[in-house]
Each structure stands twice: as C-alpha cells, then as structure tokens.
Amino acid sequence: MSTRPLHIGILMTNTDRSAFGQRHPHDGEKFTALLKPLRPDWSFETVMVRDGEFPKDAGDFDGYIVTGSPASVHDDLPWIAPLFGLIREIDQRRIPTIGCCFGHQAIAAALGGEVAPNPRGWGLGAADTHFALTDPSMLPARKTLRLHAAHNEQVTKLPRGAVLLGGDDACPSAAYKIGDHILTTQYHPEMTPDFIAALVDDLDGKLATETISRAKTELARPAESAVFAEWMVRFLEHGRASLS
C-alpha cells in the first residue's frame, strides 16, 4: 500500500451561522483536529460547499469527508444538487469518501437511497452502533461503537451498491459502505465532549424537555471518537491504494 501523504477535501455542509456556531470551530477545523494527529503529513482543506464552493475537479483531492449539517437533504438550497452531482462523480471514480450525519444521508440520497424523519424524534447526545459486518480497515475492531449524535432525519433505504454495516433500534441504518471507497456513519466523530455538551445546553428550551434530559443522560458514557478516527484514516488509505 502506498504511504504517500494524502490531500483530503472536507466538504463543509454545515449551515449553522448562529452565535453558538460562531463560538466554536467549524466542522472543517473539527475534522482536521481529529485526524491530523494520526496522519501529521496529510493535508486537509475545507471546501465551503454551503457557500457554493466546489472542487474544480473531483480528482483534485485524494479523498473526501462530507460533514454534518442542520440542513436537510430535502431542502431547496442551491448547493445541494451540485453536491449530489459531485457525490455521484466521486462514486463513479471510486475516490475514497467518508460521510458523517448529513454526509451519510447526502451520499444515500445522491445514489438512490432514501432519507426521512426519525419516527422517534431527535437522536441527541450519544448512541451506539452495533456492527453486524465490518471493513478490513475498521481497526481496532469493535462490535459496538459509541459516537456523539445530533440528528432528526436518517437513512431509511440504502443507496445502490451499499452494504449495511450496523445500527440500533432507533437508527437501523447507522453505518454502511460502498465498495472500498465509501464509508458512512449517522453520527459525529468530530464532536468533542465539550462541544456536544454545549450543544445540548444550547438546545435546551428549543427541543422537548425529555429529549434534552435523555441527551444529558447519554453523555454520561464516553464516546469513542478516537477509534472511529483510526477507521477513517485507514479507510481513506486503503481506498486510495486500491486506485493505484
């Protein structure tokens, strides 16, 4: 496998421009902080998709991360259709890509899957994904992995060519893969404990009391973002090597 440094494009879809959002690093910075310590020689570039910015060519990057967003894949926003087009090209060219939360949903929607509101309402705080299948790059191995959660829509039909990796009762399709080049999670490895706690506090009074109470209870158990970060860099490396 090639060990050359990779140039990763972080497709920033997060549309939060609130005072809360301005007080915290944006998602491109969060993912860079998560992954850069694992691969110090890699370069990470945030592409502000939410502002209509896109790579000149899908091949400009060795791999991609599609971030989370408070936007819905069903929103009539001018950047969503071009994002779907880019995802289709990335899939066709088998460029390694990881989708998280909105990214997980956007990849599904772009490639023929379906996304709908979660019948149980908001998933907020943290959640476990129970893995029935894994990818060889998912090391260290886990049968169950806990990540931070903040979503009220989810994938209800997998995209074409996808293999379901895991989920739980509240979110049955929480992780899937396509070939050696797409890996997704409904959850948020980039969120730190301090950030998700602050987010829950910010949403207190905006969401149902029971949702906030449940979220605070779920945060008592730590998430395993560091494990998923290892999976991410390994998957991007393996996916890129398969193109060689």
Side-chain angles (χ1 to χ4, degrees):
M1 184 173 69
S2 172
T3 58
R4 73 170 180 84
L6 300 187
H7 184 43
I8 304 301
I10 302 173
L11 302 180
M12 169 73 166
T13 64
N14 193 327
T15 55
D16 181 11
R17 302 178 190 270
S18 68
F20 172 82
Q22 295 299 316
R23 291 196 298 270
H24 297 274
H26 64 61
D27 285 2
E29 294 167 328
K30 289 189 185 78
F31 275 107
T32 300
L34 177 70
L35 302 179
K36 188 72 171 176
L38 298 177
R39 297 294 186 272
D41 55 343
W42 288 16
S43 57
F44 298 87
E45 181 179 337
T46 300
V47 182
M48 290 294 184
V49 168
R50 68 171 190 194
D51 297 327
E53 297 179 8
F54 286 88
K56 292 180 180 179
D57 183 273
D60 288 349
F61 294 93
D62 296 311
Y64 289 96
I65 298 165
V66 189
T67 74
S69 178
S72 167
V73 297
H74 302 296
D75 287 345
D76 184 19
L77 295 171
W79 52 268
I80 288 183
L83 173 62
F84 285 7
L86 175 60
I87 289 169
R88 294 183 189 108
E89 184 175 359
I90 285 169
D91 176 50
Q92 183 178 32
R93 295 172 64 169
R94 302 183 64 83
I95 300 170
T97 299
I98 295 171
C100 299
C101 198
F102 175 90
H104 160 88
Q105 297 168 14
I107 292 169
L111 300 180
E114 295 178 3
V115 175
N118 184 345
R120 299 192 183 193
W122 272 84
L124 183 65
D128 295 323
T129 300
H130 305 287
F131 289 93
L133 297 173
T134 58
D135 181 85
S137 64
M138 293 165 64
L139 296 172
R142 292 286 191 278
K143 288 293 186 182
T144 299
L145 191 74
R146 190 169 184 80
L147 293 175
H148 292 131
H151 66 104
N152 63 359
E153 291 186 324
Q154 59 190 33
V155 173
T156 55
K157 177 185 175 183
L158 291 178
R160 62 178 180 269
V163 175
L164 181 65
L165 298 179
D168 66 3
D169 290 342
C171 184
S173 299
Y176 61 85
K177 63 171 285 190
I178 301 175
D180 295 323
H181 62 289
I182 291 176
L183 174 68
T184 77
T185 176
Q186 176 57 67
Y187 302 116
H188 287 276
E190 82 285 3
M191 289 185 177
T192 64
D194 287 347
F195 177 82
I196 188 66
L199 178 61
V200 171
D201 286 343
D202 184 70
L203 293 172
D204 196 354
K206 302 173 185 175
L207 300 180
T209 301
E210 57 267 28
T211 298
I212 298 299
S213 177
R214 184 173 64 247
K216 290 181 177 180
T217 298
E218 288 171 347
L219 289 178
R221 288 177 53 207
E224 298 178 280
S225 295
V227 174
F228 198 85
E230 286 280 1
W231 293 2
M232 291 176 73
V233 295
R234 290 175 181 273
F235 189 85
L236 291 166
E237 284 174 334
H238 291 179
R240 195 66 207 178
S242 70
L243 292 177
S244 302

